[in-house]
Amino acid sequence: MFYIFRRFILLIITVILVSIITFAVFQILPGDPVRTMLGTEADPTQIENLRSELGLDRPLYEQYTDWVKGIVTGELGNSIRFSMPVKELLLARLPVTISLAAITLLIVCLISLPLGMFAARRQNRLSDLTLSSATQIGMAIPSFWLGMMLILYVGLNVEFFKISGYIPWSTSIAGALSTLILPALTIAIPQIAVNFRYVRTAILEQVRMDYVRTIRSKGIVERVVMYKHVLKNAMIPILTVFGLITAEIVAGTIIVEQVFSLPGVGQLLITAINNRDFPLVQGIVMYITVAVVTINFVVDILYTVLDPRIRLR
Amino acid sequence: MEKDKNPVLEVNHLSICFDLANGQQAKVVEDISFSVYKEETVALVGESGSGKSITSLAVMGLLPIPPGRITSGSIRLNGQDLLQMKQKNMSSIRGNEISMIFQEPMTSLDPVFKVSNQMIEGIRRHQAVTKREGFAIALRMLKEVGIANAEKVMHEYPHQLSGGMRQRVMIAMAMANNPKLLIADEPTTALDVTVQAQILRLMLKMKREHGSAILFITHDMGVVAETADRVMVMYAGQIVEEAPVKTLFTQPKHPYTAALLQTIPSLDSNVNRLPSIPGTVPSASQLPNGCRFAARCKHAMSICSEKQPEIMQFEHDQQVRCHLYTEKGEMVSVE
């Protein structure tokens, strides 16, 4: 319990630090949101008025504490560009991004785990070497290029896939999948490549352990040895990588949503940055932070489920 | 002796080699033959690298192939040739008719599963019982190996147990299916001396109660004296001497055996340094043409580095592989 409590404190500290950085960055960043809104021809009084209207003339610490209060209560202020509450904008787009991230993670798990296991069991044989070099290439592919290639060669040729836009799950499950699978693959492929290597290494490390020999000496069939014992032990290091990968996936949605014109949080972020829409950018950055930090927290809890040795500490 | 009966384990002319990365071959076990009879404890003694652990893994069918390779010979369990058996059939013998306990109790149990899970898994692999019945068998076994709070231990993870406790769990696990043969690969080496004696006594007790035979692999002559009925001494992949334990300790015939016995510290002798055998075991990829012990042997003659000695039979079931006896018949006592 103490372990989880300690992790939770760390989570809170991380969120606070990120909130300070997010807030500070906008003070340092070139480009004045007020001037952006009013254009280059605006006269000084107009600028002053809007500035006080947005609360930008107040001392920094007041602006910060107000903003933090907003985060805690869920009121992230109004978007300058859309003249709408940030909360509503985020809520409208979250389902797209969450679906995309979830499908991506699922694809990464479903492919990299069995593939890593397969390669580990055929260590240094042709199939293993082929896979290992293929993943080298996979890691080197930039996702925006991969996305465009998938649109060009798969999206345009296979009837099922839509190459732009989003269909909500509530409208049609197949429709949602038709818009999400290609972008998910785009993010997933480089991540599979990375994760495959970790899985393979983790499995190879476990197979050498004494306890594996003991289990084999009990006559347990190889499938059970690998999928029950070795996999569960190997999941401890693999889980760490999954935490990192999930963060990568969340970040990956930003670019890929642009490529596939998905109306998700990532696309919203780009628009917000281009318009110096600071309440919106800050809101989105906080959302991404909380998402990533929460995922890491969940990973930490999963450790205790997987590894009884952690529970004692 | 019970030599007229059929042996539980019969190893005949077994040779194992390892293909090394540089294309060379390491002959780690060469032409060894031995038998283990029912309710007998046979010790396989040798320095590290003598091939004793490899031999035991071969019997278990757990030899890593590749790089390992069994080049000749047979391993028979109750007359059934294990080397001709399919992997699938072999796995139903493993843990059932032959089981094994290992040197490192600290790392030999799966750290992420409870004792109960690991024990029941092995029991249900070979006995058609429900989970509940499996649990009952496991619990009974834990009590049998002298674990007082067996119910509690069942629900614990390996890291919550001491080394001695883990080795008890290992023994309980290995004996749960009433194996005909238990292979113990240095089961007490990693334990405290006081715990060692307990574990050895426990193994002998379990052997008696379950009517198994034990193949005891060790480098510790003290342990051999305490437990074994018969001893085989291995050197560089060969069995150089085999004899009933009393004969071996009182009349060792092979110079290597004699040297090994001299390395046992004794309370009566007043020595500052423990004796050791000068030189090292030859590498399995560069074995000499003649006797493998010749380079370290006090009694080495010219023939010893030229020709391999054959196995000679002596009275009291003693067998020796040494030129001292092939040339002269009877030699001065080896001291």
Side-chain angles (χ1 to χ4, degrees), chain B residues 141-162:
Chain B
M141 290 308 297
L142 286 189
K143 286 180 181 157
E144 223 176 278
V145 296
I147 294 177
N149 46 352
E151 281 90 353
K152 186 167 160 274
V153 169
M154 280 291 270
H155 294 290
E156 284 185 320
Y157 289 95
H159 71 272
Q160 292 167 293
L161 306 172
S162 67

Side-chain angles (χ1 to χ4, degrees), chain A residues 210-211 213-221 224 228-229 232-233 236 306-309 311-312, chain B residues 60 62 91 94-95 102 104 107-113 117-118 121 125-126 157 159 170 173:
Chain A
D210 287 347
Y211 74 84
R213 193 184 50 189
T214 308
I215 299 161
R216 289 194 178 131
S217 82
K218 289 191 283 182
I220 305 302
V221 292
V224 178
K228 178 179 170 188
H229 295 275
K232 189 169 178 192
N233 277 280
I236 297 162
L306 279 178
D307 191 350
R309 287 163 295 188
R311 280 172 233 169
L312 283 186
Chain B
M60 285 298 284
L62 288 176
S91 80
R94 220 183 282 141
F102 297 95
E104 278 296 333
T107 55
S108 288
L109 289 164
D110 187 336
V112 303
F113 286 96
N117 186 315
Q118 301 191 46
E121 178 183 50
R125 169 71 180 86
H126 302 292
Y157 289 95
H159 71 272
M170 285 291 291
M173 206 141 89

Side-chain angles (χ1 to χ4, degrees), chain A residues 39-242:
Chain A
T40 43
E41 303 298 308
D43 73 280
T45 44
Q46 249 183 315
I47 289 176
E48 271 319 299
N49 285 344
L50 185 60
R51 193 160 285 205
S52 68
E53 198 183 301
L54 293 171
L56 292 177
D57 55 344
R58 291 185 301 148
L60 280 181
Y61 72 89
E62 269 184 36
Q63 291 184 38
Y64 176 71
T65 45
D66 272 5
W67 180 60
V68 169
K69 265 183 224 158
I71 295 176
V72 176
T73 55
E75 295 305 323
L76 295 164
N78 281 327
S79 156
I80 298 171
R81 164 79 165 70
F82 296 97
S83 309
M84 266 172 79
V86 168
K87 192 177 144 193
E88 275 178 34
L89 282 167
L90 264 178
L91 285 181
R93 286 158 180 262
L94 265 180
V96 183
T97 303
I98 289 177
S99 308
L100 178 57
I103 292 179
T104 310
L105 190 61
L106 193 70
I107 295 176
V108 173
C109 288
L110 286 183
I111 297 181
S112 63
L113 284 180
L115 212 59
M117 183 81 95
F118 174 84
R121 293 184 68 175
R122 283 165 184 70
Q123 190 191 6
N124 294 333
R125 289 206 230 153
L126 189 65
S127 46
D128 173 38
L129 297 176
T130 315
L131 271 174
S132 292
S133 35
T135 52
Q136 287 278 27
I137 300 168
M139 280 192 286
I141 298 175
S143 59
F144 63 88
W145 180 81
L146 181 62
M148 290 189 284
M149 290 305 117
L150 282 178
I151 291 176
L152 207 57
Y153 291 104
V154 183
L156 293 178
N157 293 327
V158 180
E159 181 106 30
F160 175 74
F161 295 115
K162 309 273 182 299
I163 53 167
S164 120
Y166 175 67
I167 299 168
W169 296 96
S170 49
T171 312
S172 149
I173 289 176
L177 286 177
S178 72
T179 58
L180 288 174
I181 284 180
L182 285 186
L185 270 179
T186 308
I187 311 175
I189 286 172
Q191 300 303 331
I192 288 169
V194 176
N195 202 38
F196 159 80
R197 300 186 141 246
Y198 279 106
V199 173
R200 179 180 173 275
T201 313
I203 301 271
L204 282 177
E205 214 162 273
Q206 290 301 322
V207 171
R208 280 203 303 269
M209 297 284 183
D210 287 347
Y211 74 84
V212 176
R213 193 184 50 189
T214 308
I215 299 161
R216 289 194 178 131
S217 82
K218 289 191 283 182
I220 305 302
V221 292
E222 197 58 19
R223 183 171 34 82
V224 178
V225 174
M226 293 304 286
Y227 281 91
K228 178 179 170 188
H229 295 275
V230 170
L231 188 61
K232 189 169 178 192
N233 277 280
M235 273 318 281
I236 297 162
I238 293 172
L239 200 60
T240 316
V241 184
F242 264 109

Side-chain angles (χ1 to χ4, degrees), chain B residues 55-67:
Chain B
T55 306
S56 66
L57 287 179
V59 173
M60 285 298 284
L62 288 176
L63 198 69
I65 300 173

Side-chain angles (χ1 to χ4, degrees), chain B residues 184 216 250 283-284 329:
Chain B
F216 201 120
T250 52
S283 147

Side-chain angles (χ1 to χ4, degrees), chain B residues 17 28 89 102 110 164 173 214 217 250 285 294 305 315 321 326:
Chain B
C17 81
V28 287
N89 299 338
F102 297 95
D110 187 336
M173 206 141 89
I214 297 182
I217 290 152
T250 52
S285 56
S305 51
E315 56 185 359
R321 192 189 273 272
T326 49

